[in-house]
Amino acid sequence: MIDRAVGLFPLWAVLAAAAGILWPAPLTSLRENIPLLLALIMLGMGMTLRADDFARVVRRSGVIALGAVLQFGLMPLLGWTLAILFDLPDELAVGVVLVGACPGGTASNLVCFLARGDVALSISLTAVSTLLAVVATPALTWLYVGQRVPVPAGDMLVDIATIVILPVVVGVAANTWWGARLRPALRIFPLLSVTAIAVIIAIVVALNRERVDASLAMLGAVVVMHNLLGLAAGYLGARFARRSEIEARTLAIEVGMQNSGLAVALATNFFGAAAALPGALFSVWHNLSGAAAATWWARIGAGRSAGA
């Protein structure tokens, strides 16, 4: 029952966006709770990991380094390029770049499993990119949009450490030491994470209700292209580096699926409600595209995935 509800997240995301348009007043009052909701999501992510999971990082340092380079080298650059090509206003441009500068999304591990990718590698890539994001996300945001708007990189670093890294560390510690006792509770966390992301989407859409007009179509096109280019770049980059089909699928998903909840939280705190809109749209879209990619790869089957 829980797994089925989690699997329907794209539907909940669309319904949440609709709720933000139809009932904005009660949702906008929840704006201050976005960081807390994101912290809950990251705690759930941490509780899927154990301390010994990080040993895989050392054993597979080459492919993980490749994933990190593709993640932080391409996604913010793609976001910046698309913002220029579509001549986005400053607030929306910041939001698009911020999405690109964020680490891999927490939903990527599930999508990787469904796509018959390397789940262990996916978990390691998500964990490493999340840790690197403490420095990389504010630095890359400043690099690409610091000339257009003030970027409080130091304050962003503190926020990321507080609402992302700390909950992950607490979750890892809890799972490492008390994992057996907490196992029944762990089954609930994916549903809590899905609920929290849906509420964040509803809040951001409600905050931007007056902006949901013709410009939304243009921003939607940017978000779709950003995600699809990320998926393609991750896959082709891995294949160009002579990685296996399974690793290529995994890197495609990790690069293309961003932690858009973090982008929303940072945008809301530092750049305004409009800057959070790209992250909210990305959260809806990348789960739809991720589910579609997973279905396609699953149909291809394990035969091709076994090839190098």
Side-chain angles (χ1 to χ4, degrees):
M1 182 67 178
I2 292 177
D3 291 343
R4 181 175 298 179
V6 171
L8 290 173
F9 173 71
L11 173 62
W12 309 139
V14 172
L15 292 175
I21 295 173
L22 296 173
W23 302 290
L27 289 166
T28 53
S29 65
L30 299 175
R31 173 178 180 166
E32 301 301 322
N33 293 310
I34 290 177
L36 180 61
L37 291 168
L38 178 61
L40 175 64
I41 295 167
M42 301 314 298
L43 176 64
M45 173 187 160
M47 293 186 73
T48 66
L49 303 172
R50 297 175 61 89
D52 54 8
D53 287 331
F54 290 91
R56 287 195 296 265
V57 174
V58 177
R59 294 197 300 268
R60 308 185 68 175
S61 57
V63 67
I64 289 174
L66 174 63
V69 169
L70 292 172
Q71 174 78 56
F72 291 113
L74 289 179
M75 286 302 281
L77 175 60
L78 288 172
W80 176 73
T81 302
L82 289 169
I84 291 177
L85 289 176
F86 282 81
D87 194 25
L88 294 181
D90 286 350
E91 276 191 307
L92 295 181
V94 170
V96 171
V97 170
L98 191 53
V99 169
C102 281
T106 54
S108 63
N109 306 144
L110 173 61
V111 171
C112 183
F113 171 76
L114 296 175
R116 300 185 183 182
D118 187 332
V119 178
L121 175 60
S122 176
I123 291 171
S124 297
L125 285 166
T126 302
V128 168
S129 67
T130 299
L131 295 175
L132 291 175
V134 176
V135 174
T137 299
L140 289 168
T141 304
W142 173 83
L143 176 65
Y144 283 106
V145 295
Q147 300 300 315
R148 298 180 68 166
V149 297
V151 177
D155 292 338
M156 288 174 63
L157 187 153
V158 173
D159 258 28
I160 295 171
T162 303
I163 63 179
V164 175
I165 302 302
L166 182 59
V168 168
V169 170
V170 170
V172 171
N175 192 32
T176 300
W177 295 330
W178 306 298
R181 296 180 183 178
L182 294 173
R183 192 161 290 118
L186 292 179
R187 288 182 53 80
I188 303 173
F189 265 96
L191 183 58
L192 290 177
S193 295
V194 164
T195 303
I197 295 173
V199 173
I200 289 173
I201 291 170
I203 294 170
V204 172
V205 172
L207 289 169
N208 288 280
R209 185 171 180 268
E210 300 304 320
R211 299 181 179 89
V212 179
D213 52 20
S215 65
L216 188 63
M218 180 175 64
L219 180 60
V222 170
V223 166
V224 169
M225 292 177 64
H226 196 187
N227 168 246
L228 294 181
L229 287 170
L231 289 169
Y235 183 87
L236 295 175
R239 295 305 274 170
F240 184 77
R242 299 180 181 274
R243 293 293 172 176
S244 70
E245 170 71 14
I246 289 179
E247 289 175 326
R249 295 181 185 187
T250 305
L251 264 66
I253 292 164
E254 286 298 317
V255 173
M257 297 188 69
Q258 299 295 88
N259 189 338
S260 47
L262 175 59
V264 167
L266 294 174
T268 304
N269 281 359
F270 298 111
F271 303 108
L277 190 55
L281 293 178
F282 200 98
S283 187
V284 175
W285 169 253
H286 79 164
N287 283 282
L288 295 171
S289 66
T295 301
W296 167 253
W297 276 320
R299 285 181 178 176
I300 289 175
R304 270 191 64 190
S305 69

